[in-house]
Amino acid sequence: MVEALDHDPVIRLASAPNQNSTEVLVKIHASALNFADILKVQGRYQERAEPPYVPGLEGAGEVIAAPAESGLTVGDRVAVYAAGTFSDIISVPVEACLRIPDSMSFEQAAGFQIAYGTSHLALDVRAGLKTGETLVVLGAAGGVGLTAVEIGHAMGARVIGLARGQDRLDVVRAAGADLVIDSAECTDLKAALRDAGGVDVVYDAVGDAAGEAAFRALRTGGRYLVIGFAGGRPPVLPLNHALVKNIAIHGLYWGGYTTLDPQVLRASLLQLFAMFEAGQLSPVNGQVLPFEQIERAFALLRSRKSVGKIVLTM
């Protein structure tokens, strides 16, 4: 439970939620951290949470009670997208639950929805990424960045991954990147991307100067995906370039699709689960920690040194 803004969560005992005739009770086995959890603690997230509140936006577990008309039964393994997943038991709407493949672990499922869902909606629905096009992923070793590399590769694109340090670049290359660039050593990203042949789609989870440089490397008709600002601030984009080069700028807030177009969101997740079962996706959990180490988990996320998603097991 977060007791004050800009304060790491502390563990508190509380009564389990009562069974609700319209909601599903889920015993959470694993829950994932997202950059949004940091922003919410700092009071900077677009959906503000007044303390005290239970953090966590996604998790996975086992159904322990469900309405008869829900289609879910006790024992079903589900992924959960709802606020408050850093708890042992959570009561959520039926639509917040989705059965997971038998071959997917709770740890994999816990961090699957937001990261893979964001990248799939961004690349497929918003950008319309085509086979043979060039995709550059900024922050490619991060929780969402790796999923963009994997999905872009599976969609037949040529993928360029930007990350910091050889170890992280090796992970990005293993995820399917055709070319990797070390952000710690690259002094002119725009020139590096143009030398690599130019870019059709930019997947920007970093923002700041890197986002602007990648934007300037877009070809005519390119698409720029605004995913996040892990670099500390939004990029300053030259909109005259967007006009002259017919560049489309797409913002992507995955959670917003729960009201914008829930059917598209659900169809995207089902397609992703099918890709997982077909062996096209291999979720990478950067750190799997016991729930008691929640403060360490937040510190790892803030450091931006982890690879893949940070997951807490209950």
Side-chain angles (χ1 to χ4, degrees), residues 24 29 31 74-75 78 100 102 121 137 170 174 180 237 254 264 300 302:
V24 182
H29 288 279
S31 187
V74 173
V78 293
I100 60 176
D102 292 339
L121 282 180
V137 180
D170 289 343
V180 294
L237 301 180
W254 184 82
V264 165
L300 281 169
R302 276 195 300 265

Side-chain angles (χ1 to χ4, degrees), residues 93-105:
V94 174
E95 57 270 19
C97 298
L98 198 62
R99 286 191 185 90
I100 60 176
D102 292 339
S103 57
M104 180 179 279
S105 70

Side-chain angles (χ1 to χ4, degrees), residues 19-199:
Q19 183 177 357
N20 184 315
S21 61
T22 63
E23 295 199 329
V24 182
L25 276 183
V26 179
K27 179 176 176 57
I28 297 292
H29 288 279
S31 187
L33 272 75
N34 289 277
F35 194 69
D37 291 306
I38 294 288
L39 296 178
K40 288 185 82 169
V41 167
Q42 297 171 342
R44 296 166 52 206
Y45 194 57
Q46 57 259 32
E47 294 177 0
R48 187 179 175 88
E50 292 295 334
Y53 72 92
V54 178
L57 295 172
E58 61 177 335
E62 190 175 352
V63 173
I64 56 178
E69 66 278 9
S70 68
L72 297 169
T73 59
V74 173
D76 279 349
R77 302 169 71 251
V78 293
V80 174
Y81 174 68
T85 56
F86 290 0
S87 52
D88 290 310
I89 298 175
I90 187 171
S91 180
V92 297
V94 174
E95 57 270 19
C97 298
L98 198 62
R99 286 191 185 90
I100 60 176
D102 292 339
S103 57
M104 180 179 279
S105 70
F106 287 125
E107 290 80 10
Q108 289 174 315
F112 189 85
Q113 295 176 98
I114 294 176
Y116 280 94
T118 292
S119 293
H120 187 260
L121 282 180
L123 296 175
D124 186 39
V125 177
R126 303 306 294 268
L129 181 66
K130 301 178 182 66
T131 299
E133 289 190 318
T134 296
L135 162 71
V136 61
V137 180
L138 308 185
V144 293
L146 273 178
T147 67
V149 172
E150 273 193 285
I151 293 171
H153 175 74
M155 292 176 69
R158 173 177 175 253
V159 182
I160 301 174
L162 189 75
R164 183 180 296 269
Q166 191 58 51
D167 290 347
R168 292 162 69 82
L169 291 173
D170 289 343
V171 174
V172 173
R173 188 180 285 108
D178 300 281
L179 175 67
V180 294
I181 297 174
D182 192 335
S183 59
E185 297 182 359
C186 182
T187 57
D188 190 340
L189 179 59
K190 181 182 74 172
L193 292 175
R194 286 183 172 176
D195 289 346
V199 177

